[in-house]
């Protein structure tokens, strides 16, 4: 929409963290009424750029013009005063406060608190985003939390909304509703700066795009005419296999002749926390050589299923979980690893890896029980741990600071490659992985998925839990859907459709 | 005055310093800062309060200098943990040791001097009412201040924008920063308020409870106040109830001894801590409640990125 007025114009933005230039002379122009995609791999500099535009980081060089006038955005309140609103990727909500209190905090101090609840209701209804102002955030599901962020943003009557990966946590239906809201806002003249990894989404939704790579602008393609493969190529700099409108589906391998390596039979677990989901009579079988994909919307029992598979929460019935024919329901994770299983949880920092520990220590944490060369007589062999970490870094192309850095020093995508690589390197017979490529750029995601496929091709049984339907369709031989703690029967990926899975995710199988 | 009336009067005077110190610490902790230096700030407040009263000849000016003493020490703490991002637990413990030492030094000249006492209120007719008169209308000013403060803190935290910002900072400092709330400034003010309250509580000891200066006269009340905040699950009005329960326990041990009741005094002095443990157990049975009641960022260092 080149005819529209330029709303925001950033020129030559530079931001350095230590020696690394996160933003290296970035130019960005956003017009009123335009949905502008900001594309780039993890670490390309998108988050840094939007933090600068929102005033929570200060640029080292460069200028920002707002509606034609030079501005210095010193902090987020100033950004909001200009009319810039932001919906964060990792929500910026206060768990202990109510919905209305969360919203009040982002409004100007003189805004009355009495009319607020009514305002919240009217805005949320006008845009089809229902909310209860008195509810406490700690009890709300992710989709609702995002709604709070959006409503909070809309109440400030912004002229530009920055959205950082808004659909990563939504169901396809919720995402569609979000798109309608965004289109409507754009129609009212509001600009949207939209960050996403999902190329299809960008092609559907956005009017303009800026692609970043290594902190620089590498292109400004027209998302309406560019193909997803072209966008991806611009983003990662190489042709990405399997990306684009049609992903290459795995052809079914393993066959029914291969032995069952991972089995769950009639597993029921009560919910661990007040907001957990109880597992209800879950049964599944994964044969050697195949990948079973478990699709589902977040918070339908995925965490509980993964905990039951890994042994973090032992089953009541010892026979409910079997690894290579051996019952292990009451065993803990270390004992299950000794049976040849490996586990990659969803949360990489704090669950799969200890942020403050070096990569070598993190490598030891899941492997001390199964790799006798790492431990002799109860003592760690640190030099061997370090060379193991180096091997994982090299084999899985983990881009990390030199030496043996702490896990938290790695970017999200690289740490994910490390924690996946750590388990793949062991060549486990059974692998359970949750959200293998969550928040990871396309290049890394492709490598991770390729690694999982190679493991299965080598005869291992792989169970992959993911909320990303594209990922499930791409990697799985068979697909099951988890909904409200119940798992649907697994069907061959070639015999099902996106729509059928979407329906099951929405609870149609109940 | 009947015997039970006297007991209630002493319970009130025992509870008042606990309530004052606990309210200050409650606000500090709601902002996400754990200040374990309450005992140190109290004892410094006690000595500066006593010294101020002796030097000016006015108990009320003594109260002001008690507040100033507690605030000065908390300002030092704030500088350490907020500007220099030092560890809060270690700094708080150091503050207690510093306060105990410092108060001994300042107070050396005042040992054994007879002190000024905050006068008790006397309202004709009302104070003379039987049974409730002396208890409701015959206390010193700070007793009423402490009760009013509990109500004000509660109103502030839950019904004002400033209180909302303060709770937000304690709940999620990164988000609060993103929304443009100044985390460091909010916390510094909360720490100063905590120091002022602790100083006031100390001043109450040396100007009303036992009007004299004795080294170490806070006798662990700062720690009881800290326990009280947890016992009250960070709610000001619950802190008021808790202060009177704990104050009651403190007084009970004297009377139990005097009456020859065969209860070991050690048990009674441990009672506040046992009650806190019990409260913690009851609270954490309900994990959801425990999570949203306690300030999530308590004790965590915040360094804003720029």
């Amino acid at each position: 929409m080149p005819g529209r007025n330029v709303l925001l114009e950033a020129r030559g933005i530079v931001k350095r963290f230590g020696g690394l230039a996160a933003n290296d002379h970035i130019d960005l122009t956003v017009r009123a009424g335009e949905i502008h995609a900001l594309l780039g791999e993890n670490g390309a500099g998108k988050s840094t750029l939007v933090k600068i535009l929102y005033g929570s980081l200060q640029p080292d060089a460069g200028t920002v013009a707002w509606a034609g006038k030079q501005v210095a955005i010193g902090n987020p309140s100033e950004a909001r005063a200009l009319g810039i609103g932001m919906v964060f990727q990792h929500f910026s909500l206060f768990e202990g406060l109510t919905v209305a209190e969360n919203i009040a905090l982002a409004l100007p101090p003189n805004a009355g608190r009495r009319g607020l609840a009514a305002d919240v209701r009217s805005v949320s209804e006008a845009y089809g985003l229902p909310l209860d102002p008195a509810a406490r955030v700690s009890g709300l599901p992710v989709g609702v939390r995002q709604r709070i962020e959006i409503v909070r943003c809309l109440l400030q009557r912004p002229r530009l909304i920055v959205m950082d990966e808004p659909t990563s946590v939504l169901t396809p239906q919720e995402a569609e509703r979000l798109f309608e809201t965004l289109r409507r806002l754009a129609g009212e003249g509001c600009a949207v700066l939209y960050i996403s990894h999902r190329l299809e989404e960008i092609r559907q939704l956005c009017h303009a795009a800026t692609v970043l790579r290594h902190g620089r602008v590498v292109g400004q393609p027209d998302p309406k005419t560019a193909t997803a493969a072209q966008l991806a190529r611009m983003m990662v700099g190489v042709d990405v296999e399997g990306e684009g409108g049609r992903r290459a589906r795995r052809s079914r391998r393993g066959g029914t002749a291969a032995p069952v390596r991972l089995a769950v039979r009639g597993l029921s677990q009560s919910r661990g926390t007040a907001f957990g989901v109880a597992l209800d009579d879950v049964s599944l079988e994964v044969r050697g050589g195949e990948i079973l994909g478990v699709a589902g919307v977040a918070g339908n029992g995925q965490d509980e299923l993964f905990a039951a598979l890994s042994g973090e929460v032992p089953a009541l019935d010892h026979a409910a979980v079997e690894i290579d024919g051996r019952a292990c329901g009451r065993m803990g994770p270390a004992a299950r690893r000794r049976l040849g299983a490996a586990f990659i949880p969803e949360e990489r920092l704090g669950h799969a890896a200890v942020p403050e520990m070096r990569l070598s220590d993190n490598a030891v944490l899941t492997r001390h029980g199964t790799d006798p060369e790492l431990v002799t007589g109860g003592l760690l062999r640190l030099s061997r741990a370090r060379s193991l970490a180096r091997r994982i870094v090299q084999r899985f192309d983990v881009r990390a600071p030199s030496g043996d850095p702490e896990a938290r020093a790695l970017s999200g995508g690289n740490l994910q490659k490390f924690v996946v690589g750590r388990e793949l390197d062991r060549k486990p017979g059974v692998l359970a992985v949750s959200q293998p490529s969550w928040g990871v750029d396309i290049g890394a995601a492709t490598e991770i998925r390729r690694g999982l496929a190679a493991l299965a091709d080598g005869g291992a049984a792989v169970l992959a839990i993911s909320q990303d339907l594209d990922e499930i369709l791409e990697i799985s031989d068979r697909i099951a859907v988890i909904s409200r703690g119940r798992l649907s029967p697994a069907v061959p990926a070639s015999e099902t459709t996106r729509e059928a899975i979407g329906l099951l995710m929405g609870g149609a199988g109940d | 005055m009947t015997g039970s009336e006297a007991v209630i009067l002493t319970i009130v005077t025992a509870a008042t310093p606990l309530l004052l110190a606990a309210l200050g610490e409650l606000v500090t902790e709601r902002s996400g800062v754990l200040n374990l230096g309450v005992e140190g700030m109290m004892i410094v407040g006690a000595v500066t309060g006593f010294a101020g009263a002796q030097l000016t000849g006015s108990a009320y000016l003594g109260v002001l200098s008690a507040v100033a003493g507690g605030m000065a020490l908390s300002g030092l703490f704030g500088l350490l943990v907020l500007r220099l991002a030092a560890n809060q637990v270690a700094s708080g413990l150091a503050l207690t040791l510093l306060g105990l030492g410092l108060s001994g030094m300042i107070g050396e000249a005042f040992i054994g001097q007879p002190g000024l006492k905050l006068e008790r209120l006397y309202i004709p007719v009302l104070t003379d009412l039987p049974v409730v008169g002396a208890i409701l209308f015959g206390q010193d000013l700070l007793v009423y201040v402490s009760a009013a403060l509990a109500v004000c803190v509660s109103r502030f935290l839950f019904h004002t924008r400033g209180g909302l910002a303060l709770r937000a900072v304690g709940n999620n400092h990164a988000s609060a920063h993103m929304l443009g709330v100044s985390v460091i400034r909010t916390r510094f003010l909360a720490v100063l308020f905590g120091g002022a309250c602790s100083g006031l509580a100390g001043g109450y000891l040396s100007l009303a409870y036992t009007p004299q200066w004795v080294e170490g006269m806070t006798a662990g009340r700062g720690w009881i106040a800290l326990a009280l905040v947890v016992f009250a699950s960070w709610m000001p009005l619950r802190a008021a109830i808790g202060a009177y329960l704990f104050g009651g326990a403190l007084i009970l041990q004297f009377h139990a001894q005097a009456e020859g009741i065969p209860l070991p005094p050690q048990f009674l002095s441990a009672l506040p801590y046992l009650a806190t443990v019990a409260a913690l157990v009851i609270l954490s049975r309900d994990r959801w409640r425990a999570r949203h009641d306690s300030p999530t960022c308590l004790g965590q260092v915040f360094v804003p990125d720029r």
Side-chain angles (χ1 to χ4, degrees):
Chain A
M1 263 180 240
R4 295 272 203 152
N5 293 336
V6 172
L7 185 64
L8 176 99
E9 188 162 33
R11 286 274 163 267
I13 299 290
V14 177
K15 179 72 186 174
R16 289 196 175 81
F17 294 108
L20 180 84
N23 281 185
D24 188 2
H25 296 93
I26 289 185
D27 297 336
L28 174 73
T29 305
V30 183
R31 292 166 194 280
E34 163 184 275
I35 304 180
H36 191 115
L38 192 58
L39 270 163
E41 291 190 280
N42 286 106
K46 298 169 307 216
S47 297
T48 305
L49 180 63
V50 298
K51 277 184 185 167
I52 288 171
L53 296 179
Y54 194 58
S56 56
L57 281 178
Q58 297 304 312
D60 296 327
T63 59
V64 179
W66 176 256
K69 263 190 276 181
Q70 285 263 336
V71 287
I73 306 170
N75 60 52
S77 323
E78 289 178 30
R80 284 196 300 270
L82 288 175
I84 302 175
M86 174 128 181
V87 176
F88 297 92
Q89 176 187 16
H90 300 292
F91 301 132
S92 64
L93 297 176
F94 303 92
E95 298 256 329
L97 306 183
T98 65
V99 172
E101 285 177 330
N102 265 281
I103 292 170
L105 274 165
L107 298 179
N110 51 5
R113 291 184 68 199
R114 299 197 188 285
L116 185 66
D119 278 359
V120 169
R121 275 214 183 83
S122 69
V123 168
S124 64
E125 269 157 32
Y127 289 94
L129 303 161
L131 281 180
D132 171 13
R136 203 177 275 274
V137 171
S138 53
L140 299 174
V142 193
V144 178
R145 291 180 185 214
Q146 187 184 47
R147 257 182 248 159
I148 303 172
E149 291 258 0
I150 296 173
V151 169
R152 175 159 87 177
C153 197
L154 292 179
L155 276 171
Q156 301 160 35
R157 315 245 163 264
R159 295 165 68 192
L160 169 68
I161 298 183
V162 182
M163 302 204 103
D164 196 355
E165 306 232 3
T167 54
S168 59
V169 292
L170 301 183
T171 62
Q173 289 81 356
E174 282 175 318
E176 199 45 59
R177 213 177 304 147
L178 172 70
F179 295 162
E180 274 165 40
T181 307
L182 293 181
R183 286 193 189 106
R184 196 158 135 201
L185 282 166
E188 292 168 8
C190 181
V192 179
L193 188 59
Y194 188 87
I195 302 176
S196 178
H197 288 308
R198 300 189 181 180
L199 303 172
E200 274 311 315
E201 227 170 73
I202 284 169
R203 294 186 56 229
Q204 264 182 50
L205 184 71
C206 298
H207 308 118
T210 296
V211 185
L212 301 185
R213 192 164 78 231
H214 301 313
R216 292 164 181 269
V217 176
V218 291
Q220 285 168 316
D222 181 348
K224 293 285 170 208
T225 55
T227 65
Q230 280 168 336
L231 293 176
R233 206 155 36 232
M234 210 177 267
M235 238 166 85
V236 297
V238 291
D239 235 325
V240 178
E241 194 186 315
E243 264 305 321
R246 307 171 310 282
R247 285 164 189 256
R249 288 195 186 178
R250 257 173 82 81
S251 54
R252 180 163 160 71
R253 264 157 285 190
T256 45
V260 172
R261 301 200 72 173
L262 171 67
V264 174
R265 300 209 173 88
L267 174 70
S268 295
Q269 295 280 64
S270 62
R271 52 173 119 174
T273 63
F275 294 98
V277 175
L279 292 178
D280 182 5
D281 196 19
V282 168
S283 295
L284 60 88
E285 283 187 347
V286 193
R287 292 176 184 273
E290 74 167 349
I291 299 180
L292 174 69
V294 175
V297 181
N300 270 290
Q302 286 97 330
D303 295 349
E304 288 75 6
L305 176 60
F306 185 84
L309 290 173
S310 70
E312 282 167 79
V313 178
L316 295 174
D317 174 9
H318 193 56
V321 184
E322 269 182 22
I323 292 173
D324 278 332
R326 293 184 58 182
C328 61
R330 309 272 322 140
M331 287 184 186
R336 293 189 195 194
R337 285 196 190 106
R338 280 194 287 274
L339 293 179
F343 313 103
I344 308 170
E346 170 181 347
E347 185 62 42
R348 45 189 168 252
L349 265 186
H351 196 174
V354 182
E356 295 82 12
M357 281 192 176
R358 298 179 175 283
L359 291 185
S360 58
D361 295 335
N362 270 301
V364 171
L365 281 177
T366 63
R367 298 182 53 157
H368 58 88
T370 51
D371 290 48
E373 83 266 20
L374 286 176
V375 186
T376 31
L379 294 175
L380 291 177
R381 306 298 297 261
L382 293 176
S383 63
R384 288 180 189 170
R386 277 193 290 272
S387 64
L388 168 62
R390 262 197 306 279
R391 187 170 80 214
I392 297 169
V393 164
Q394 275 160 13
R395 269 192 54 192
F396 297 92
D397 187 30
V398 179
R399 278 164 236 170
S402 59
D404 189 10
E406 291 179 357
R408 62 177 166 191
L410 272 63
S411 74
N414 281 308
L415 183 59
Q416 184 70 12
K417 281 198 267 185
F418 181 82
V419 298
V420 172
R422 174 178 65 185
E423 306 308 321
L424 293 183
D425 176 78
R426 251 184 71 201
K427 303 196 176 59
V430 169
L431 174 71
V433 52
S434 182
Q435 300 282 67
S437 62
W438 182 76
V440 161
D441 60 68
I442 291 171
T446 308
E447 284 170 45
I448 287 170
R449 290 170 192 160
R450 209 180 275 154
L452 296 179
L455 182 72
D457 292 343
V462 177
L463 182 140
I465 300 172
S466 177
Q467 290 154 40
D468 182 345
L469 195 48
D470 292 328
E471 177 170 80
I472 292 277
L473 287 168
E474 181 187 333
I475 65 174
S476 308
D477 299 304
R478 288 188 302 137
I479 298 173
V481 177
I482 192 163
S483 171
R484 287 181 222 156
R486 299 178 66 99
L487 191 71
S488 76
V491 292
S494 53
E495 292 169 22
T496 187
T497 61
R498 181 178 286 271
E499 288 65 36
I501 296 171
L503 281 172
L504 285 172
M505 282 165 70
D510 292 354
Chain B
M1 196 181 284
T2 64
S4 60
E5 223 177 309
V7 171
I8 292 175
L9 273 177
T10 47
I11 287 176
V12 169
T13 41
T16 300
L18 295 181
L19 177 56
L20 286 169
L23 285 173
E25 179 66 12
L26 188 146
V27 169
T28 305
E29 291 192 12
R30 276 277 185 182
S31 82
V33 179
L34 179 66
N35 186 351
L36 293 180
V38 178
E39 179 83 1
M41 298 185 297
M42 264 178 95
I43 192 90
V44 165
V47 76
T48 55
F50 188 80
Q54 294 300 97
L55 297 175
T56 61
S58 154
Y60 288 104
L61 288 176
V63 167
L64 284 185
S65 69
V67 170
M71 267 177 110
L73 210 59
S74 69
L76 177 69
F77 175 78
L79 213 63
L80 280 174
V81 303
L82 297 173
R83 291 301 297 274
L84 305 176
N87 180 294
Q88 295 182 4
V89 170
S91 306
L93 292 174
L95 198 71
T96 287
L97 295 176
L98 173 70
L100 288 171
L102 201 64
S103 66
M105 202 177 76
I106 301 171
E108 207 167 3
F110 300 96
I111 292 175
Q113 287 188 14
L116 290 167
K117 192 175 184 340
L118 278 176
E119 20 188 298
R120 290 177 183 269
L121 219 61
Y122 181 77
I123 308 168
V125 185
L126 284 180
T127 310
D128 295 330
L129 283 175
V131 189
V132 294
I135 293 166
L136 287 182
F137 303 106
Q139 306 285 355
D140 56 71
L141 191 64
L142 286 187
V143 170
Y144 303 106
V145 168
S146 71
L149 197 63
V151 176
C152 289
V153 165
S154 178
R155 292 287 304 176
F156 169 75
L157 283 178
F158 301 108
H159 295 277
T160 69
R161 166 115 191 151
L164 176 59
L166 185 126
R167 283 185 294 138
V169 165
N171 198 268
N172 185 344
H173 51 209
S175 295
H177 176 66
M178 279 301 250
L179 287 177
V181 180
S182 172
V183 174
I184 300 294
R185 206 175 124 240
T186 307
R187 288 193 171 161
F188 196 73
L189 291 174
V191 165
L192 283 182
F193 179 77
C197 288
S198 286
L200 190 60
Y204 188 82
L205 291 177
S206 66
L207 294 166
Y209 194 71
T210 50
Q212 54 179 325
W213 165 248
V214 182
E215 243 194 273
M217 70 186 294
T218 46
R221 285 186 179 82
W223 299 110
I224 297 180
L226 270 166
L228 184 53
V229 174
V230 181
F231 174 84
S233 57
W234 294 273
M235 302 298 267
L237 299 180
R238 279 186 215 163
I241 296 169
Y244 281 82
L245 287 177
F246 287 14
L250 281 177
I251 292 306
L252 217 59
Q253 59 180 305
F254 298 124
H255 288 278
Q257 270 172 299
E259 305 280 326
I261 296 168
L263 257 180
Q266 291 88 345
F267 173 76
L268 283 168
S269 35
L271 211 54
Y273 303 106
L274 290 174
T276 302
V277 170
L280 271 175
V281 170
I282 293 164
L283 273 177
S284 53
R285 276 169 64 92
D286 192 341
R287 281 167 68 184
W288 180 68
R289 280 194 58 100
R291 201 175 52 206
H292 78 71
D293 273 345
S294 66
T296 324
C297 288
L298 189 59
Q300 288 176 21
V301 168
F302 176 74
V303 183
D305 50 351
R306 277 272 90 184

